[in-house]
Amino acid sequence: MNLNIVEIDNLSFGYKGRLLHKGINMMFPRGKVVAIMGGSGSGKTTLLRLIGGQIKPSHGEVRVDGDVVHKQDRDGIFKLRRKMGMLFQHGALFTDLSVFDNVAFPMRELTDLPESMIRDLVLMKLNAVGLRGASGYMPVELSGGMARRVALARAVALDPNIIMYDEPFAGLDPISMGVICDLIRSLNDALGATSIIVSHDVKETFLIADYVYFVANGEVAAEGTPHDLMHSTLPFVHQFVHGEKDGPVPFHCPAANYQSELMNSKTND
Amino acid sequence: MDRTTIDLWVGVFVALGMAALLGLAMKVGNLTSANIGPTYSVSAAFENVGSLKPHAPVKSAGVVVGRVDSINFDGSKFEAVVKINIDQRYAFPKDTFANIYTAGLLGEQYIGLEAGGDEANLKNGDKITQTQDAIVLEKMISQFLFSKASETKSDSKEPDVKPLASAKASGSKAATKAVELGDPGF
Amino acid sequence: MIKSTLLIAVARMLRGLGARMIDRIWRLGAGARLFFLTIFYSGESFRRFHLILREIYFTGVMSLLIIIVSAFFVGMVLALQGYNTLQKYGSSEAIGVLVALSLVRELGPVVTALLFAGRAGTAITAEIGLMKTTEQLSAMEMMAVSPIARVVAPRFWAGVISMPILATLFSMVGILGGYLVAVPLIGVDDGAFWSQMQANVDFRVDIVDGLIKSLVFGVACTMIALFEGFDAPPTAEGVSRATTRTVVISSLTVLGLDFILTSFMLVV
């Protein structure tokens, strides 16, 4: 049995010649919480979509449990996806279903369990995220943090081996953030799963991650345990971790000389 | 939305649709009269069927007793062969007369059956021998105008064309009428 | 100098035309692909028929009110206008035929399809567009559930089932509206109204043709609405544009298809 449940091997991906990723290598060991960090637009979410097989890489490959994802046919990809659970950025709850039905959705669609057993399982999952009392609500009646927790219950409904989180902390108040943080770690350990977190929230991510990859300019800029990275001397990591305004990632979008542009605008027309 | 409520409403919806279709079929369409139970089929030859169409009614004494099944052209005799289905409840004598009539001035054409006096009745596959063709309006008008034309000529003292005797008998009255109608061409 | 700018302008125009043409053809192809995938995945949604029932509720039952009210008024107006013209020729009894034939053959299927595109089609497009925007479709895919089988196919069949039912209701209610105007209001003879109608409306020719039309319109309208929703760019503007496009394309398609179907039905 392979030690790493997900392996990304020399992966490149891009649209129309513009490469978003240039030869990325990553390992996700079983039972660990691994974070992928990077600035907005650095292709972190795209990495999750590549692991899930929603898009195909230009070069290289992603292996899940030893199977190359993009070489699977439709059934093969569906089989792989049953080992995965994913928490989307804004929860992506089905707005036409109640909280209960949302969590029951993957069970009803993918298993032949009797309705009574589904009911018990759903209540167990909802209890784990502390929202058993909200099972009759519709998603619009929930706060952002509650919706995220319901989505988490849905993501782990079928006890997946891999749980992927796309920006789990974005747009939450500090209390909800702490709750989600706690849940990610405890669910990971309780299910014996592997968690992949895509985030740019340094504090929360470093709190729960076992290992962190930094992505910048389509490459892995740095990797290591949170403790190592905290004290890293790499300028990019230093800027990111400490949230400095200017550094290797410039404040200004690349542009022509400010002064000459202002002067030119007069003579242009 | 509760599932039983949805089921109920969809049930109501489908039932309404069925009722509407039934209403269309029975009250609006001619499904009731088209389904006239078991029938027997006879044929009749016409020199001209006008604009008679399949499914046109076959009436006797004004009551629908059957439907036109098919209209074909007989290439050897150069006439139209019309197959009609008649309700088995109605028996017609062998010498029944088949006419093609028009409902109103511009209405649809139908076949009218006038019973004869024969002892034997029509059976499945029989042929009605006595028929009268559809009245073709253009033909009638041109005949009428033609006879009028010859009359007017005789009235305007050009006696080289002899008017027909029958036309002469009722002629003058019709001629004045034609003038009243303002038919300047003639 | 002038020559070259003219050339550039012409080239730009041609490029625009070409790009638009390619886009249209691409959309047509993508729509056809979605249609075949929908048919392919339909077995799954038929096995769980309550999904289709639910969508029939939202597309069919929710459209009932607008269909019935419009049909009533269309029927009444037809009777008024028809009477006005027919009585000049002294054949006001034919008003029943006029109302029934225009409704059953043309207005029933066509107006129902146009109202359906406005009422249910836009709802379908907006719903699916928003599901896409909020990553619900993506989430479904990541759960190894095909959104075409779970979201598209039930809505498609619901539309295809609802449309003929709505069109039949439209025709029947319209005829009742015409009856109310013609008989109690104008004073056309009750018996003549119905008997003339029955003599001239053929079930197999007129009513079944109308049903076939509405079935075809059902496939077209629902498919267009589904495709536009599925294809909408995942932004607020994208969804609103897609919704508008659903109405425009559905209406034009229905009218064009109506012409083609009618010419086929009259010839054959």
Side-chain angles (χ1 to χ4, degrees):
Chain A
M1 198 158 160
N2 202 326
L3 185 72
N4 300 315
I5 190 156
V6 178
E7 290 174 333
I8 296 177
D9 194 1
N10 190 26
L11 178 97
S12 297
F13 174 79
Y15 304 98
K16 289 175 188 166
R18 203 181 69 84
L19 281 183
L20 192 59
H21 305 123
K22 304 163 198 157
I24 284 184
N25 292 297
M26 287 182 186
M27 305 284 175
F28 300 91
R30 285 172 200 275
K32 300 289 185 195
V33 175
V34 181
I36 302 172
M37 306 201 71
S40 308
S42 57
K44 306 182 302 277
T45 304
T46 315
L47 274 177
L48 289 188
R49 287 162 66 86
L50 282 161
I51 295 172
Q54 287 189 318
I55 44 181
K56 282 185 180 170
S58 315
H59 296 288
E61 56 188 38
V62 178
R63 286 187 297 272
V64 173
D65 236 356
D67 296 317
V68 178
V69 173
H70 72 267
K71 286 193 179 143
Q72 304 289 322
D73 59 0
R74 213 187 144 70
D75 288 339
I77 282 188
F78 269 24
K79 212 178 268 174
L80 284 182
R81 283 184 190 162
R82 287 183 194 209
K83 299 177 188 167
M84 306 175 192
M86 181 152 170
L87 178 70
F88 281 81
Q89 192 163 354
H90 298 290
L93 291 177
F94 303 130
T95 38
D96 55 337
L97 300 179
S98 70
V99 165
F100 182 94
D101 290 332
N102 259 289
V103 181
F105 184 89
M107 305 179 192
R108 286 184 180 144
E109 294 292 326
L110 300 174
T111 68
D112 294 320
L113 295 174
E115 195 60 28
S116 60
M117 193 181 278
I118 287 179
R119 188 178 162 274
D120 294 348
L121 283 172
V122 170
L123 291 180
M124 272 166 60
K125 300 291 174 193
L126 280 174
N127 198 43
V129 297
L131 288 175
R132 190 162 43 86
S135 68
Y137 290 8
M138 294 305 279
V140 284
E141 298 169 288
L142 301 176
S143 71
M146 284 160 92
R148 207 73 60 92
R149 275 147 76 190
V150 173
L152 186 51
R154 186 180 68 180
V156 299
L158 293 176
D159 298 338
N161 300 333
I162 306 161
I163 313 173
M164 296 189 271
Y165 300 89
D166 186 7
E167 303 285 4
F169 312 114
L172 291 183
D173 61 86
I175 301 174
S176 305
M177 230 186 245
V179 170
I180 293 281
C181 216
D182 219 44
L183 276 174
I184 292 176
R185 187 73 235 187
S186 60
L187 276 174
N188 188 75
D189 298 344
L191 294 171
T194 309
S195 298
I196 304 173
I197 301 174
V198 156
S199 178
H200 49 230
D201 291 285
V202 178
K203 199 180 113 224
E204 286 73 22
T205 311
F206 275 23
L207 209 61
I208 52 171
D210 296 312
Y211 202 79
V212 178
Y213 287 97
F214 265 101
V215 183
N217 303 322
E219 286 160 339
V220 177
E223 57 182 287
T225 61
H227 182 264
D228 294 344
L229 289 170
M230 247 353 228
H231 304 98
S232 168
T233 49
L234 278 167
F236 167 76
V237 178
H238 190 82
Q239 187 194 359
F240 197 96
V241 170
H242 299 283
E244 285 157 359
K245 179 182 147 215
D246 224 340
V249 181
F251 169 71
H252 287 293
C253 184
N257 186 285
Y258 192 32
Q259 202 169 10
S260 63
E261 195 163 19
L262 283 177
M263 299 303 280
N264 274 346
S265 65
K266 281 178 200 155
T267 51
N268 239 357
D269 293 280
Chain B
M1 183 59 68
D2 195 11
R3 197 193 278 189
T4 47
T5 327
I6 287 177
D7 288 355
L8 178 71
W9 272 109
V10 172
V12 170
F13 177 62
V14 174
L16 272 178
M18 297 272 213
L21 185 63
L22 206 72
L24 283 184
M26 296 303 170
K27 192 87 181 153
V28 177
N30 53 4
L31 193 68
T32 36
S33 45
N35 271 347
I36 40 175
T39 57
Y40 61 98
S41 153
V42 298
S43 65
F46 294 90
E47 268 178 37
N48 190 334
V49 291
S51 60
L52 190 74
K53 289 188 186 69
H55 297 306
V58 176
K59 296 182 182 179
S60 187
V63 178
V64 178
V65 295
R67 292 267 160 199
V68 172
D69 183 41
S70 67
I71 301 170
N72 290 306
F73 183 65
D74 180 350
S76 58
K77 290 183 186 157
F78 303 106
E79 54 186 21
V81 179
V82 178
K83 272 195 150 177
I84 57 181
N85 293 328
I86 303 176
D87 194 322
Q88 242 166 20
R89 286 175 297 173
Y90 309 119
F92 285 91
K94 261 204 166 6
D95 58 348
T96 292
F97 209 92
N99 298 312
I100 297 181
Y101 292 126
T102 308
L105 192 60
L106 301 166
E108 257 199 325
Q109 289 188 306
Y110 66 94
I111 291 185
L113 297 179
E114 279 161 36
D118 205 317
E119 294 284 301
N121 283 336
L122 282 170
K123 291 191 298 296
N124 195 26
D126 278 357
K127 190 167 181 181
I128 297 177
T129 45
Q130 291 164 289
T131 61
Q132 191 193 315
D133 298 340
I135 295 164
V136 179
L137 208 58
E138 299 94 303
K139 223 174 183 176
M140 224 168 69
I141 291 172
S142 68
Q143 267 172 4
F144 175 76
L145 292 178
F146 184 71
S147 63
K148 278 287 147 312
S150 47
E151 264 171 46
T152 352
K153 275 179 189 161
S154 68
D155 285 356
S156 58
K157 282 155 189 117
E158 281 173 31
D160 40 2
V161 181
K162 280 259 175 213
L164 289 165
S166 60
K168 207 177 182 182
S170 61
S172 54
K173 225 166 96 189
T176 45
K177 215 172 189 178
V179 172
E180 268 171 33
L181 284 168
D183 222 340
F186 302 95
Chain C
M1 193 65 187
I2 293 167
K3 218 173 176 182
S4 73
T5 45
L6 192 73
L7 265 178
I8 289 169
V10 169
R12 187 182 299 155
M13 213 180 70
L14 283 176
R15 206 154 5 146
L17 192 71
R20 208 178 292 173
M21 191 70 199
I22 289 171
D23 182 60
R24 292 285 143 81
I25 294 174
W26 183 88
R27 294 176 70 80
L28 204 64
R33 184 172 167 273
L34 183 69
F35 176 66
F36 286 117
L37 281 176
T38 307
I39 301 291
F40 183 74
Y41 283 112
S42 289
E44 223 164 298
S45 44
F46 270 105
R47 251 185 289 122
R48 293 164 58 212
F49 203 69
H50 71 93
L51 289 178
I52 297 183
L53 284 185
R54 196 188 144 84
E55 297 308 327
I56 291 181
Y57 177 82
F58 285 116
T59 51
V61 178
M62 295 302 234
S63 307
L64 264 182
L65 192 67
I66 187 175
I67 291 290
I68 287 177
V69 173
S70 330
F72 206 68
F73 281 105
V74 167
M76 291 201 291
V77 168
L78 264 182
L80 277 179
Q81 291 281 15
Y83 177 75
N84 199 24
T85 308
L86 284 174
Q87 56 117 357
K88 287 183 190 156
Y89 300 95
S91 45
S92 51
E93 300 81 33
I95 194 162
V97 188
L98 180 110
V99 171
L101 280 185
S102 0
L103 276 169
V104 168
R105 289 220 287 229
E106 282 299 327
L107 291 176
V110 172
V111 177
T112 306
L114 295 179
L115 291 173
F116 184 89
R119 169 68 184 77
T122 50
I124 291 175
T125 305
E127 193 187 10
I128 294 190
L130 277 176
M131 284 179 95
K132 192 179 171 190
T133 311
T134 53
E135 293 186 305
Q136 292 182 41
L137 297 183
S138 236
M140 213 174 264
E141 228 170 73
M142 280 304 294
M143 279 181 221
V145 175
S146 159
I148 294 179
R150 184 62 173 67
V151 175
V152 175
R155 282 168 176 75
F156 173 74
W157 288 109
V160 172
I161 292 170
S162 297
M163 186 75 94
I165 295 180
L166 289 173
T168 315
L169 273 170
F170 190 99
S171 299
M172 196 62 221
V173 173
I175 289 168
L176 289 179
Y179 172 84
L180 277 188
V181 166
V183 178
L185 205 68
I186 296 176
V188 174
D189 181 57
D190 181 66
F193 183 87
W194 292 113
S195 67
Q196 284 256 0
M197 199 188 285
Q198 283 175 9
N200 287 288
V201 179
D202 191 89
F203 182 77
R204 269 159 293 187
V205 177
D206 300 316
I207 297 175
V208 171
D209 276 7
L211 278 180
I212 292 173
K213 270 188 187 178
S214 63
L215 202 68
V216 175
F217 295 162
V219 172
C221 281
T222 322
M223 212 56 232
I224 289 169
L226 287 168
F227 174 71
E228 289 298 342
F230 216 67
D231 188 58
T235 59
E237 195 209 2
V239 174
S240 82
R241 272 171 177 238
T243 312
T244 313
R245 216 163 29 207
T246 296
V247 178
V248 174
I249 296 180
S250 300
S251 308
L252 291 180
T253 309
V254 163
L255 295 173
L257 275 178
D258 183 48
F259 176 74
I260 294 170
L261 286 174
T262 307
S263 52
F264 267 104
M265 284 166 176
L266 289 184
V267 169
V268 176

